[in-house]
Coordinates of all heavy atoms in Angstrom, one line a residue:
K33 N 85.4 113.8 121.6 CA 85.7 114.1 120.2 C 86.1 112.9 119.4 O 86.4 111.9 120.0 CB 86.9 115.1 120.1 CG 86.5 116.5 120.7 CD 87.7 117.5 120.4 CE 87.3 118.9 120.9 NZ 88.4 119.8 120.7
E34 N 86.1 113.0 118.1 CA 86.5 111.9 117.3 C 88.0 111.8 117.2 O 88.7 112.7 117.7 CB 85.9 112.1 115.9 CG 84.4 112.0 115.8 CD 83.9 112.2 114.4 OE1 84.7 112.4 113.5 OE2 82.7 112.1 114.2
L35 N 88.5 110.8 116.6 CA 89.9 110.7 116.4 C 90.4 111.8 115.5 O 89.8 112.1 114.5 CB 90.3 109.3 115.8 CG 90.3 108.1 116.7 CD1 90.4 106.8 115.9 CD2 91.5 108.2 117.7
E36 N 91.5 112.4 115.9 CA 92.1 113.5 115.1 C 93.5 113.1 114.7 O 94.3 112.6 115.5 CB 92.2 114.7 115.9 CG 90.9 115.2 116.5 CD 91.1 116.4 117.4 OE1 92.1 116.4 118.2 OE2 90.3 117.3 117.4
L37 N 93.8 113.3 113.4 CA 95.2 113.1 113.0 C 96.2 114.0 113.6 O 95.9 115.3 113.6 CB 95.3 113.2 111.5 CG 96.6 113.0 110.8 CD1 97.1 111.5 111.0 CD2 96.7 113.4 109.4
V38 N 97.2 113.5 114.2 CA 98.3 114.3 114.7 C 99.4 114.5 113.6 O 99.9 115.6 113.4 CB 98.9 113.7 116.0 CG1 100.1 114.5 116.5 CG2 97.8 113.6 117.0
A39 N 99.8 113.4 113.1 CA 100.9 113.4 112.1 C 100.8 112.1 111.2 O 100.3 111.1 111.7 CB 102.3 113.5 112.7
A40 N 101.3 112.2 110.0 CA 101.3 111.0 109.2 C 102.5 111.1 108.3 O 103.1 112.2 108.0 CB 100.0 110.9 108.3
I41 N 102.9 109.9 107.8 CA 104.1 109.8 107.0 C 103.9 108.8 105.8 O 103.2 107.8 106.0 CB 105.3 109.4 107.9 CG1 106.6 109.5 107.1 CG2 105.1 108.0 108.5 CD1 107.9 109.4 108.0
S42 N 104.5 109.2 104.7 CA 104.3 108.3 103.5 C 105.1 107.0 103.6 O 105.8 106.8 104.6 CB 104.8 109.1 102.3 OG 106.2 109.4 102.4
R43 N 104.8 106.1 102.7 CA 105.4 104.8 102.8 C 106.9 104.8 102.8 O 107.6 104.1 103.6 CB 104.9 104.0 101.6 CG 103.4 103.7 101.6 CD 103.0 102.9 100.4 NE 103.2 103.7 99.1 CZ 103.1 103.2 97.9 NH1 102.8 102.0 97.7 NH2 103.3 104.0 96.9
S44 N 107.5 105.7 102.0 CA 109.0 105.8 102.0 C 109.6 106.7 103.0 O 110.8 106.8 103.2 CB 109.4 106.2 100.6 OG 109.0 107.5 100.3
G45 N 108.7 107.5 103.6 CA 109.1 108.5 104.6 C 109.5 109.9 104.0 O 110.0 110.7 104.7
D46 N 109.3 110.0 102.7 CA 109.7 111.3 102.1 C 108.7 112.4 102.2 O 109.0 113.6 101.9 CB 110.0 111.0 100.6 CG 108.8 110.6 99.8 OD1 107.8 110.1 100.4 OD2 108.8 110.8 98.6
K47 N 107.5 112.1 102.7 CA 106.5 113.1 102.8 C 105.8 112.9 104.2 O 105.5 111.8 104.6 CB 105.4 113.0 101.7 CG 104.4 114.1 101.8 CD 103.4 114.0 100.6 CE 104.1 114.4 99.3 NZ 103.2 114.5 98.1
T48 N 105.6 114.1 104.9 CA 104.9 114.1 106.2 C 103.8 115.1 106.2 O 103.8 116.0 105.4 CB 105.9 114.4 107.3 OG1 106.6 115.6 107.1 CG2 107.0 113.3 107.4
S49 N 103.0 114.9 107.1 CA 101.8 115.9 107.3 C 101.6 116.0 108.8 O 101.6 115.0 109.5 CB 100.6 115.4 106.6 OG 99.5 116.2 106.8
Y50 N 101.3 117.3 109.3 CA 101.1 117.5 110.7 C 99.8 118.4 110.8 O 99.5 119.2 110.0 CB 102.3 118.3 111.3 CG 103.6 117.5 111.3 CD1 104.4 117.6 110.2 CD2 103.9 116.7 112.3 CE1 105.6 116.9 110.2 CE2 105.1 116.0 112.3 CZ 106.0 116.1 111.2 OH 107.1 115.4 111.2
T51 N 99.2 118.2 111.9 CA 98.1 119.1 112.3 C 98.7 120.3 112.8 O 99.8 120.3 113.3 CB 97.1 118.4 113.3 OG1 96.0 119.2 113.4 CG2 97.8 118.3 114.7
N52 N 98.0 121.4 112.7 CA 98.6 122.7 113.0 C 99.1 122.9 114.4 O 100.2 123.5 114.6 CB 97.5 123.8 112.8 CG 97.2 124.1 111.3 OD1 98.0 123.7 110.5 ND2 96.1 124.7 111.0
Y53 N 98.4 122.3 115.4 CA 98.8 122.5 116.8 C 100.1 121.8 117.2 O 100.5 122.0 118.3 CB 97.7 122.3 117.7 CG 97.1 120.9 117.7 CD1 97.7 119.8 118.3 CD2 95.9 120.7 117.0 CE1 97.1 118.6 118.3 CE2 95.3 119.4 117.0 CZ 95.9 118.4 117.6 OH 95.4 117.1 117.5
V54 N 100.6 120.9 116.3 CA 101.9 120.3 116.7 C 103.0 120.7 115.8 O 104.2 120.2 116.0 CB 101.7 118.7 116.7 CG1 100.6 118.3 117.6 CG2 101.6 118.2 115.3
Q55 N 102.7 121.5 114.8 CA 103.8 121.9 113.8 C 104.9 122.6 114.6 O 104.7 123.4 115.5 CB 103.2 123.0 112.9 CG 102.4 122.4 111.7 CD 103.3 121.9 110.6 OE1 104.5 122.0 110.7 NE2 102.6 121.5 109.5
G56 N 106.1 122.1 114.3 CA 107.3 122.7 115.0 C 107.6 122.0 116.3 O 108.7 122.3 116.8
R57 N 106.7 121.2 116.8 CA 107.0 120.6 118.1 C 107.1 119.1 118.0 O 107.9 118.4 118.7 CB 105.8 120.9 119.1 CG 105.6 122.3 119.4 CD 104.7 122.5 120.6 NE 103.3 122.0 120.3 CZ 102.7 121.2 121.1 NH1 103.2 120.6 122.2 NH2 101.4 120.8 120.7
F58 N 106.3 118.5 117.1 CA 106.3 117.0 116.9 C 107.0 116.7 115.6 O 106.9 117.4 114.6 CB 104.9 116.5 116.9 CG 104.2 116.5 118.2 CD1 104.7 117.2 119.3 CD2 103.0 115.9 118.4 CE1 104.0 117.3 120.5 CE2 102.3 116.0 119.6 CZ 102.8 116.7 120.6
T59 N 107.7 115.5 115.5 CA 108.3 115.0 114.3 C 107.9 113.6 114.1 O 108.2 112.8 115.0 CB 109.8 115.2 114.3 OG1 110.1 116.6 114.5 CG2 110.4 114.8 113.0
I60 N 107.4 113.2 113.0 CA 107.1 111.8 112.7 C 108.2 111.3 111.8 O 108.7 112.0 110.9 CB 105.7 111.6 112.0 CG1 105.3 110.2 111.9 CG2 105.6 112.4 110.7 CD1 103.9 109.9 111.5
S61 N 108.6 110.0 112.1 CA 109.6 109.4 111.2 C 109.3 107.9 111.2 O 108.5 107.4 112.0 CB 111.0 109.7 111.8 OG 111.2 109.2 113.1
R62 N 110.0 107.2 110.4 CA 109.8 105.8 110.3 C 111.1 105.1 109.9 O 112.0 105.7 109.2 CB 108.7 105.4 109.3 CG 109.0 105.7 107.9 CD 107.8 105.5 107.0 NE 107.3 104.1 106.9 CZ 106.1 103.7 106.5 NH1 105.2 104.7 106.2 NH2 105.8 102.5 106.5
D63 N 111.2 103.8 110.3 CA 112.4 103.0 109.9 C 111.8 101.7 109.4 O 111.4 100.8 110.1 CB 113.3 102.7 111.1 CG 114.5 102.0 110.7 OD1 114.6 101.4 109.7 OD2 115.5 102.0 111.5
N64 N 111.7 101.6 108.1 CA 111.1 100.4 107.4 C 112.0 99.2 107.7 O 111.4 98.1 107.6 CB 111.0 100.7 105.9 CG 109.8 101.7 105.6 OD1 109.0 102.0 106.5 ND2 109.8 102.1 104.4
A65 N 113.2 99.3 108.0 CA 114.1 98.2 108.3 C 113.6 97.4 109.6 O 113.9 96.2 109.7 CB 115.5 98.6 108.4
V66 N 113.0 98.2 110.5 CA 112.6 97.6 111.7 C 111.1 97.7 111.9 O 110.6 97.5 113.1 CB 113.4 98.2 112.9 CG1 114.8 97.8 112.9 CG2 113.2 99.7 113.0

């Protein structure tokens, strides 16, 4: 299969997106300071 998006997060971290099969199980986050 081709690459599939699992999760993504906006530049500031205020918006996230998840594929259906990980909703409620996976959490994406970011720390721009590091």
Side-chain angles (χ1 to χ4, degrees):
K33 294 187 178 180
E34 296 182 356
L35 281 168
E36 302 173 323
L37 178 68
V38 176
I41 189 167
S42 63
R43 295 177 297 172
S44 66
D46 64 337
K47 183 174 290 188
T48 58
S49 178
Y50 297 91
T51 191
N52 287 342
Y53 57 80
V54 304
Q55 281 276 6
R57 299 191 297 126
F58 293 8
T59 303
I60 188 171
S61 61
R62 67 189 295 163
D63 186 340
N64 288 347
V66 294

